[in-house]
Amino acid sequence: MGCAQGKCCLPWQQRGRGGGTGGVGGRGGTTVGRAAVPGAGLVLEYATLTVPGLYPDSPGRESQDAYLVATRFSGDTDLHLFAVLDGHGACGAACAGFARDALPRILAEDYGRLVEDPAAAFREAMLAANAEMHAAAAVDDSMSGTTAVAALVAGGALHVANVGDSRAVAGVWRDGRVLAEELSWDQTPFRADERARVKACGARVMSVEQVEGVRDPDAEGWVADEGDPPRVWARDGLYPGTAFTRSLGDLAAEAVGVIAEPEVKSVEITPAHLFFVVASDGVFEFLSSQEVVDMVAMYEDPREACSAIATKSYKLWLEHENRTDDITIIIVHIRDSENPGPAGSHKMNCSGSGEPITLHKQQSELPVFVPSETSHLNRDAVTELPSSSSGSPTEESLSCVGPSPTHPLFGDGKASETCKLIQSEKAVSEPVEACHQREGGGVELDQSMQRRIPKVSC
């Protein structure tokens, strides 16, 4: 949901719910790949997709999502890192790109800690990336920042660290159906514990309607998907207005309790774990975790599932708003290395409600590619991440990944429009650019005060 002015800091009267950048060290586009986890006898088959948001009033707006795929992380064949970052504020794209590059470098610098205690390593890395962003002259994070959710496959375990409202969820086979298992918890003012924590740090928690006097400012009966969500505000001003309670960067939000410390969940990967999804809130704004899991289970090819989810999310945004959020999805199928068929292929696919799921086998009109074995992220190469266009031994960038012309989500058959919707630039490496100029309206701090906002100590 981002800041109250929208994730690109649209003028106040144009605000909406809202809040892309790209593959391993790049921006935009699509990647597919395959990586073995020999220590656990597993094979990971993954696909990623980023669809820039539609902002009619800001046609040149830069996508503020970023994602990271780092297989064979730090040269370890049993470590594979997947992350999605969702920037907010005028410099959200720069913040997301900075965090995407900083997190793997910091984690690799303490490889031993990552292997021995992934939860502690994630906590230290998130906090260190936050501190580096504050100190970076090239990134203005005074009123901009990014959420981050990272999933690390470490042999037979999966560790997920989350800061903000992007999300990770697994598809797990239970009782004859594929059920959603939450791998992260959204950190928003909807949660009583998070709400109490930011209030103790001096924040006000209100929706925009409450700030404007349309609703009782003391009422706490917010309902998800009904009206503006509860947001975090400073006591003495109309900022930061974030709909989440944790993020990296954003000094203004940090001053009222929006912290960079992640919540970490670790699970053992069992034969029941078919796949997992890491995605920005552009996906989960109008789709539940179970709905996303049901859609992934419908497709043998994770690329098709990415396209279907992005298309559905895009449509739902336009049904509720006059714009869409940036949408970024990573889908990772977990295969048995001795039975590398489609996830759940030996089981009857059923949705969370128990209804049979039709397994779609048609393929999109995708370009054929030959996997390359010439590039992988290792301990020596991790600091060169921004200049790498392929971080997987079997990864290629695709220019357009759209659903098939007969895709069930498109009864009107507008395949050409679908391709335009999904198409994005090829993932290439770009340095994080300096961002100092603010866009649009909204309330912002005096320039001389932006770097002097006190750090929260509670």
Side-chain angles (χ1 to χ4, degrees), residues 186-235:
D186 294 355
Q187 296 144 353
T188 75
F190 278 114
R191 281 176 47 176
D193 59 337
E194 288 292 285
R195 190 163 65 245
R197 184 181 58 74
V198 296
K199 282 185 172 183
C201 294
R204 297 179 296 161
V205 176
M206 295 185 291
S207 66
V208 169
E209 291 92 341
Q210 289 174 299
V211 169
E212 295 177 338
V214 177
R215 291 187 55 199
D216 180 358
D218 297 321
E220 293 191 348
W222 306 286
V223 178
D225 300 328
E226 290 186 13
D228 192 70
R231 298 179 182 274
V232 179
W233 308 90
R235 287 285 181 190

Side-chain angles (χ1 to χ4, degrees), residues 68-388:
L68 168 71
V69 173
T71 56
R72 299 181 183 179
F73 185 70
S74 204
D76 189 328
T77 57
D78 281 336
L79 289 184
H80 308 278
L81 180 64
F82 305 87
V84 167
L85 306 98
D86 184 353
H88 65 272
C91 302
C95 292
F98 183 94
R100 174 204 60 213
D101 297 341
L103 282 172
R105 172 178 51 77
I106 296 169
L107 287 169
E109 286 172 355
D110 199 353
Y111 168 79
R113 184 65 173 272
L114 182 63
V115 172
E116 295 172 6
D117 191 346
F122 266 129
R123 290 188 183 98
E124 293 171 4
M126 293 280 194
L127 293 171
N130 184 60
E132 287 189 10
M133 191 182 302
H134 291 338
V139 180
D140 180 1
D141 72 340
S142 55
M143 295 189 74
S144 299
T146 183
T147 65
V149 58
L152 178 72
V153 175
L158 179 59
H159 308 278
V160 177
N162 182 52
V163 172
D165 58 358
S166 293
R167 189 181 302 177
V169 59
V172 183
W173 183 260
R174 288 185 185 139
D175 301 323
R177 63 191 68 179
V178 183
L179 297 179
E181 178 183 330
E182 302 291 356
L183 298 175
S184 65
W185 303 274
D186 294 355
Q187 296 144 353
T188 75
F190 278 114
R191 281 176 47 176
D193 59 337
E194 288 292 285
R195 190 163 65 245
R197 184 181 58 74
V198 296
K199 282 185 172 183
C201 294
R204 297 179 296 161
V205 176
M206 295 185 291
S207 66
V208 169
E209 291 92 341
Q210 289 174 299
V211 169
E212 295 177 338
V214 177
R215 291 187 55 199
D216 180 358
D218 297 321
E220 293 191 348
W222 306 286
V223 178
D225 300 328
E226 290 186 13
D228 192 70
R231 298 179 182 274
V232 179
W233 308 90
R235 287 285 181 190
D236 58 351
L238 295 178
Y239 65 90
T242 60
F244 42 81
T245 54
R246 303 193 189 201
S247 75
L248 304 179
D250 204 330
L251 281 162
E254 188 175 279
V256 287
V258 179
I259 60 176
E261 182 174 353
E263 292 180 310
V264 184
K265 181 174 182 177
S266 299
V267 299
E268 178 187 355
I269 298 175
T270 70
H273 285 84
L274 306 181
F275 55 81
F276 64 88
V277 180
V278 183
S280 63
D281 73 327
V283 170
F284 294 107
E285 180 72 7
F286 300 110
L287 289 174
S288 69
S289 293
Q290 186 61 57
E291 287 172 322
V292 169
V293 163
D294 286 346
M295 294 184 74
V296 175
M298 291 171 62
Y299 294 88
E300 293 184 0
D301 190 330
R303 294 171 294 182
E304 286 282 334
C306 282
S307 294
I309 293 169
T311 302
K312 182 66 173 178
S313 299
Y314 202 96
K315 279 190 165 185
L316 288 172
W317 271 97
L318 292 179
E319 288 175 7
H320 291 82
E321 308 267 359
N322 66 350
R323 66 178 185 85
T324 76
D325 199 354
D326 301 321
I327 295 168
T328 298
I329 315 163
I330 302 175
I331 296 175
V332 183
H333 282 178
I334 304 172
R335 321 284 201 195
D336 186 324
S337 60
E338 296 182 359
N339 178 31
S345 59
H346 61 295
K347 306 179 178 76
M348 177 185 295
N349 288 307
C350 294
S351 68
S353 63
E355 295 295 323
I357 292 177
T358 301
L359 189 63
H360 295 270
K361 296 184 178 181
Q362 74 265 24
Q363 299 295 311
S364 299
E365 297 177 357
L366 302 174
V368 177
F369 70 92
V370 178
S372 168
E373 294 288 344
T374 61
S375 174
H376 67 272
L377 192 68
N378 56 44
R379 207 174 311 176
D380 297 326
V382 68
T383 56
E384 300 176 3
L385 185 62
S387 63
S388 170

Side-chain angles (χ1 to χ4, degrees), residues 433-454:
E433 298 178 355
C435 183
H436 298 291
Q437 187 68 36
R438 295 200 179 282
E439 302 175 4
V443 181
E444 63 180 62
L445 300 179
D446 180 79
Q447 189 70 25
S448 64
M449 294 294 293
Q450 288 177 347
R451 284 284 172 181
R452 295 204 297 258
I453 299 173

